[in-house]
Amino acid sequence: MKVSTTSLVKLLILHLLNTRDYYGNQLIEIISDILDKKWEPSPGMIYPLLRDLENNGFIKGWWIEPDKKTKRYYKITDEGIEHFKVIKRNYKSILDDSLQMINNILNVVYK
C-alpha cells in the first residue's frame, strides 16, 4: 500500500475533527503548525478532500451564517470515526517503514 500526501492530509483532517469541530482555513493553519510551517496544504487540496469526506458520510458540514456562506464548519460522524480508526491502523506500519528508510538514507549519505 502506498500513502500519498493527500492520504496523509486526510488522516490529519480526520484526526483533528475527532477532537473538535473546525472550518477549512483552521485545518490548513493547524496542519501547517503540525508540520513546523515547512509545508501547508493548499485550499485546492483541503476543500476537495472535505467535500469528498462529506460526500462519503465521514464528516458533516454546516454554514455558520447560511446566507453569507463564509465559514463552513465540519465535524466527524460515527462512520468517520470508524474510517479514521481503519486508516490510522493501516498507515502506521507504512509510516514507520518510510521513516526508517529516510533515517537509513540520512545515515548513509550525510554521515
Side-chain angles (χ1 to χ4, degrees):
M1 176 191 279
K2 182 179 170 186
V3 179
S4 66
T5 304
T6 303
S7 299
L8 293 175
V9 171
K10 175 182 169 183
L11 180 69
L12 282 170
I13 288 171
L14 290 173
H15 168 75
L16 292 168
L17 291 177
N18 200 31
T19 63
R20 61 169 263 217
D21 303 341
Y22 288 98
Y23 59 91
N25 282 338
Q26 281 180 309
L27 290 167
I28 291 171
E29 290 171 19
I30 291 167
I31 291 169
S32 175
D33 288 344
I34 289 168
L35 300 174
D36 294 328
K37 305 232 184 266
K38 292 183 180 5
W39 182 81
E40 105 178 356
S42 69
M45 173 186 268
I46 288 287
Y47 289 103
L49 261 174
L50 290 170
R51 279 192 298 277
D52 184 58
L53 289 166
E54 190 170 12
N55 289 339
N56 284 306
F58 299 139
I59 64 173
K60 180 170 176 33
W62 69 96
W63 296 103
I64 289 296
E65 299 178 69
D67 297 338
K68 294 183 184 178
K69 293 187 175 182
T70 52
K71 283 186 184 173
R72 186 169 178 82
Y73 275 84
Y74 297 91
K75 71 181 290 148
I76 196 165
T77 62
D78 291 341
E79 294 87 0
I81 291 168
E82 291 308 310
H83 181 64
F84 170 61
K85 288 177 184 176
V86 168
I87 63 173
K88 180 180 173 184
R89 183 176 56 248
N90 289 343
Y91 290 0
K92 176 69 168 105
S93 65
I94 296 166
L95 292 172
D96 285 338
D97 289 347
S98 297
L99 184 59
Q100 182 179 355
M101 288 188 306
I102 290 168
N103 282 327
N104 290 347
I105 292 167
L106 284 169
N107 287 334
V108 167
V109 174
Y110 296 99
K111 202 164 189 183

